[in-house]
Amino acid sequence: MTPSRRADGPSDRQSAPHTGGLSRRHFALGLPSALLATGCAAPHQGTGRPGDPIVLTLLSHYSSGELREALQGPVDEWNATHDRVKVRTKAVEFTDLLTTFMVRQAAGQGADILHPYCLWNGQLVRAGVLRPAPSEHAEEIRRGYREAAVGAASVGGRVYGYPTEVQTYALYYNKRLLREAGIGRPPRTWRELEETAYRTARRDRYGNTLVQGFGLSAYDDSTTVGQTLALLYAAGGAFVSADGRSTAIDSPAGRAVFDLEHRLVVKGASAPGVNVYRAFPSGQVAMVVSAGWWTANLKALMGRDYRDVGVAPLPVPVAGGKRATLSTGFMLGVNTASEHPREAWEFLRWLNTEKVSVKNAGKGAAATRMSSLQVSVGSLTGRADDMRTLLGDGGDPNLRPFLDALAYAVPEPNVPGAQQAKSLLRKNIEALWTGQQSADEALRTTRRQVDQEVSRSW
């Protein structure tokens, strides 16, 4: 699951993940102390001889609470039913995950199975950490998952792993605030979005924000960049060019998004300094763009007031426009340094493609273990058939727009410099919001900085 789960905003678990960029050429010499955290006990690393099983290590950010327990369930099931190959889980905090992958690899201590944020895949492939999926597994992945999930798990057209958590972005809105402003339905176009934002925004007589009409937030990379890229894709734009060597945001679509956000801030409908993760559950934000992981969070936080929450597809610039939005995600792949890649891929196939019966979902209902794991903690996967089975007709209707968006979502670019490019984009968006740059200046600066980063010879 994405590292975006806490009452006041994204935690160390993804919405949209948030992490500082790793130095591109130099890595710390010592391993993070968090690496000592492990899952259930398992035999010491073996050779595969009778009585001495192979032990695969799986390194993820599922380090505590419900996430750790959810992953441990199928791992324990595998270990109880397989004598020759066992799996041991290891975990670190999300903020340490990329560094740990790279440091362990450099030290010759890489885990057999890795669970990266897909934004990092280009960097991990370029560094020789991820092994391409064998053809039979790549075909299963292409056949079983939505296009956005497959794209996120691929680099240069080659599939590198099984998608796990997949998050799409949509529009959350407060039904009560819209109703009080005389608005009967969520906006469908950007014009309606602006009108709704201005009509629902409220300030006190001193100019302090009481209600944001549209929540823009400078909370972290994922919040700031995620909502902007979702709007960019809805406008038919792109952040990085198809060949991954330059940015494509300095375009009519990029300018339209930056102009929209600038107007919302200048006219008082948005206050980027306000933490939307606190303000929206408190009824102080009418609308905000975010990912599907937040639904379960809001339900737990808001209690009875959750009935005021609605979710709609992301508005498009003009009526009848083609839908698009952002998707982010994670995947499970195999380390190039693993001595047992065949066994590692077989475990991943079992976890991610083999279907088992689903309780309370009707006779004969079945889904994969990974999809069941994700839904149990309020998340989604890129397997639309599993999601329909697990969510059922009686599930939370606020999850449906995120499931529908799997059909038209666009994955984050995962070129080698993607993490740093994301951080650079965030700085320029915030400069736009605070009036330090005009829309044109922010676009030009982003283009210059990101072009330098993604065209770097890594």
Side-chain angles (χ1 to χ4, degrees):
M1 181 166 301
T2 62
S4 296
R5 304 268 171 86
R6 68 171 179 242
D8 63 342
S11 75
D12 58 351
R13 304 188 266 184
Q14 140 164 212
S15 104
H18 52 93
T19 179
L22 176 69
S23 171
R24 293 176 295 277
R25 296 178 178 79
H26 305 287
F27 306 107
L29 296 178
L31 294 176
S33 60
L35 191 58
L36 298 177
T38 63
C40 67
H44 292 296
Q45 186 73 32
T47 64
R49 292 193 297 268
D52 189 11
I54 293 168
V55 179
L56 304 172
T57 54
L58 188 165
L59 177 59
S60 77
H61 61 289
Y62 287 5
S63 58
S64 61
E66 62 181 3
L67 292 173
R68 179 175 177 174
E69 293 173 6
L71 177 60
Q72 201 59 53
V75 169
D76 288 346
E77 179 190 352
W78 169 276
N79 287 337
T81 55
H82 292 76
D83 294 329
R84 182 173 174 271
V85 179
K86 304 294 184 180
V87 177
R88 175 191 291 139
T89 59
K90 294 178 179 287
V92 298
E93 298 296 325
F94 177 77
T95 49
D96 291 330
L97 188 60
L98 178 58
T99 307
T100 303
F101 288 155
M102 304 300 284
V103 170
R104 286 183 64 100
Q105 197 78 2
Q109 299 176 3
D112 296 280
I113 300 170
L114 306 177
H115 194 193
Y117 173 30
C118 290
L119 182 76
W120 306 332
N121 283 349
Q123 180 174 343
L124 293 172
V125 169
R126 183 66 62 88
V129 176
L130 287 175
R131 181 186 298 267
S135 58
E136 64 273 22
H137 292 271
E139 182 55 35
E140 274 194 291
I141 292 164
R142 292 191 182 100
R143 184 174 58 246
Y145 294 83
R146 287 289 191 171
E147 186 177 352
V150 176
S154 302
V155 177
R158 300 188 73 177
V159 177
Y160 281 85
Y162 283 90
T164 57
E165 177 183 5
V166 175
Q167 296 294 341
T168 58
Y169 280 62
L171 183 76
Y172 286 88
Y173 63 98
N174 186 303
K175 300 174 187 177
R176 176 182 58 80
L177 292 176
L178 267 62
R179 187 170 58 247
E180 290 174 353
I183 301 168
R185 60 171 174 79
R188 300 173 183 174
T189 66
W190 284 12
R191 180 176 178 178
E192 292 179 356
L193 177 71
E194 280 198 77
E195 291 174 350
T196 302
Y198 300 142
R199 288 173 61 177
T200 53
R202 295 204 333 259
R203 292 175 177 263
D204 63 19
R205 60 194 180 110
Y206 302 106
N208 298 311
T209 300
L210 299 176
V211 174
Q212 284 192 78
F214 184 80
L216 294 174
S217 180
Y219 188 88
D220 62 8
D221 278 4
S222 292
T223 306
T224 303
V225 174
Q227 57 198 2
T228 299
L229 289 187
L231 290 168
L232 177 68
Y233 295 150
F239 178 33
V240 176
S241 63
D243 64 5
R245 305 298 293 177
S246 63
T247 182
I249 198 170
D250 190 2
S251 64
R255 187 166 290 103
V257 174
F258 277 34
D259 284 341
L260 171 65
E261 294 183 350
H262 183 255
R263 287 194 302 272
L264 290 168
V265 173
V266 169
K267 294 184 178 182
S270 298
V274 175
N275 184 342
V276 293
Y277 294 104
R278 289 178 177 170
F280 185 85
S282 301
Q284 297 172 313
V285 178
M287 301 177 293
V288 64
V289 173
S290 193
W293 64 264
W294 203 21
T295 304
N297 241 155
L298 290 171
K299 189 179 294 186
L301 284 169
M302 296 177 69
R304 286 176 56 85
D305 289 339
Y306 180 73
R307 61 189 174 185
D308 291 332
V309 176
V311 177
L314 207 63
V316 292
V318 296
K322 183 179 179 181
R323 293 203 181 280
T325 190
L326 171 70
S327 71
T328 63
F330 286 77
M331 69 160 216
L332 282 165
V334 176
N335 196 332
T336 57
S338 174
E339 295 180 1
H340 307 287
R342 185 175 65 82
E343 290 81 1
W345 284 114
E346 177 55 27
F347 168 73
L348 293 184
R349 187 207 61 78
W350 175 89
L351 179 64
N352 292 281
T353 71
E354 185 176 301
K355 297 208 172 189
V356 294
S357 61
V358 176
K359 297 178 181 178
N360 305 319
K363 186 176 180 181
T368 64
R369 293 175 175 86
M370 178 53 68
S371 290
S372 299
L373 183 164
Q374 293 296 335
V375 169
S376 75
V377 291
S379 187
L380 301 174
T381 70
R383 284 188 173 274
D385 55 342
D386 279 358
M387 293 301 99
R388 285 190 289 269
T389 297
L390 291 163
L391 297 178
D393 295 332
D396 187 344
N398 282 340
L399 289 175
R400 290 289 160 180
F402 300 105
L403 174 57
D404 293 343
L406 288 172
Y408 56 78
V410 179
E412 282 183 294
N414 59 10
V415 296
Q419 179 63 67
Q420 182 64 10
K422 184 175 184 178
S423 297
L424 291 169
L425 177 57
R426 175 193 178 184
K427 291 178 181 178
N428 287 292
I429 292 170
E430 292 179 1
L432 170 73
W433 291 350
T434 56
Q436 299 174 55
Q437 292 183 358
S438 67
D440 284 343
E441 289 169 337
L443 287 167
R444 286 197 301 269
T445 304
T446 300
R447 182 184 63 195
R448 184 179 69 254
Q449 293 176 344
V450 175
D451 279 358
Q452 182 179 5
E453 189 62 34
V454 299
S455 64
R456 187 187 301 275
S457 178
W458 287 69

